[in-house]
Amino acid sequence: MHNGAGRRGMWLWAAALAVYAFLYLPLLIVIVYSFNDSRLNAEWVGFTWHWYDVLLHDEDMLAAAGNSLFIAVVSSFSATVLGTMAGIAMYRYKMKVLTFMVMAPVAMPEILLGVSLLLFFIQVLNLTLGMLSIVLAHITFSIGFVAIVVRTSLAGLDESMFEAARDSGASPWETFRYITFPLILPGVIAGGLMAFTLSLDDFVITFFTAGVGVSTLPLRIYSMIKIAVTPEVNAVSTLLMLLTLTIIVLASRIAPNVLRFKT
């Protein structure tokens, strides 16, 4: 009996290691080859910082990175405000229609959302595709993620605190300002960081809504790998990966329970 349990444990560990290797080994290879002193990824030649230095002097890459950061900051701030309001409404009113409308962009395939936003901007709003259309598109798909986190934060609070505030004569605004918002603030910040990360990494929806003449970091990387996966691509991918992981770790430190989606 004891030996059987031990063998099952070994198989589970082996399966877990195989899954982790499948998930993270490709990322590790990208990081390692970003330091390869060769223009080709065929073999390891030697260690170098050269490709990171090339990135610092690549004006097109810096412009794309600047666009990505600007879009991520503006869209994540807007999505945080709107997503917080939506999350509070979902928690207070328990309306299935409202929850469905907020959550639909989260569950919808990105390519479908990108095409629908493209048609909406061009045919309904008569909007010229560019920075504004990308920001609006990123706000659209980020609101649902922020609303989920905020709603989860509210679900973990004790309802008696709000009842006590109302019994003491506090108005709905005073209850929100002095009790509700401070308590859900970690969730709001975590939701905003998630929205920032999603915006920074997004490729599919950005591809459909960018138009001509505006490029972001994911679009720039895609244009580069059409020719070949060079060490410069590996270097910029490594930096983007580190930035994304840093934000995720920061969000998990701010609101660990919220990011586990506890109810």
Side-chain angles (χ1 to χ4, degrees):
M1 184 72 177
H2 179 73
N3 291 335
R7 282 195 293 271
R8 284 196 296 274
M10 290 178 61
W11 278 110
L12 287 174
W13 271 108
L17 289 175
V19 171
Y20 283 126
F22 181 79
L23 291 175
Y24 293 107
L25 197 56
L27 301 178
L28 182 62
I29 292 173
V30 169
I31 295 173
V32 170
Y33 273 84
S34 69
F35 299 102
N36 188 15
D37 191 13
S38 169
R39 283 194 168 276
L40 304 175
N41 284 320
E43 60 178 348
W44 177 263
V45 176
F47 181 88
T48 181
W49 292 97
H50 172 70
W51 304 111
Y52 290 90
D53 184 60
V54 170
L55 283 179
L56 292 176
H57 296 87
D58 188 333
E59 294 184 358
D60 292 336
M61 185 67 76
L62 293 177
N67 288 339
S68 287
L69 288 174
F70 174 78
I71 292 167
V73 169
V74 175
S75 65
S76 61
F77 177 79
S78 303
T80 301
V81 175
L82 297 174
T84 300
M85 294 166 52
I88 294 172
M90 289 162 58
Y91 175 76
R92 290 294 179 200
Y93 301 110
K94 317 287 186 191
M95 295 173 61
K96 292 183 178 178
V97 174
L98 176 62
T99 302
F100 173 79
M101 292 177 66
V102 174
M103 299 300 297
V106 175
M108 195 176 296
E110 280 197 62
I111 190 168
L112 178 59
L113 187 59
V115 172
S116 61
L117 287 171
L118 170 65
L119 295 176
F120 179 72
F121 290 148
I122 293 177
Q123 297 188 355
V124 178
L125 298 183
N126 194 24
L127 184 68
T128 302
L129 298 181
M131 293 289 282
L132 179 59
S133 59
I134 299 174
V135 170
L136 293 175
H138 285 205
I139 292 172
T140 301
F141 72 76
S142 298
I143 287 175
F145 291 95
V146 178
I148 292 172
V149 178
V150 172
R151 184 183 179 281
T152 308
S153 298
L154 285 166
L157 299 182
D158 187 353
E159 189 67 25
S160 62
M161 291 186 296
F162 307 118
E163 295 175 357
R166 286 193 291 268
D167 292 342
S168 63
S171 65
W173 168 248
E174 289 173 332
T175 303
F176 173 77
R177 180 180 178 184
Y178 296 110
I179 297 178
T180 306
F181 187 70
L183 291 174
I184 66 171
L185 184 57
V188 173
I189 295 173
L193 291 173
M194 285 181 64
F196 182 87
T197 304
L198 291 168
S199 173
L200 195 66
D201 290 348
D202 181 75
F203 169 77
V204 177
I205 296 175
T206 307
F207 179 79
F208 284 101
T209 57
V212 180
V214 177
S215 181
T216 63
L217 205 52
L219 294 182
R220 176 65 181 162
I221 294 173
Y222 176 71
S223 67
M224 293 171 69
I225 62 174
K226 285 180 179 178
I227 303 173
V229 181
T230 63
E232 189 179 357
V233 173
N234 294 333
V236 69
S237 299
T238 300
L239 293 177
L240 188 60
M241 193 187 316
L242 290 176
L243 178 60
T244 302
L245 290 175
T246 301
I247 293 173
I248 292 173
V249 170
L250 184 60
S252 66
R253 298 282 293 180
I254 293 173
N257 292 332
V258 168
L259 292 184
R260 294 188 189 108
F261 296 102
K262 288 185 176 179
T263 58

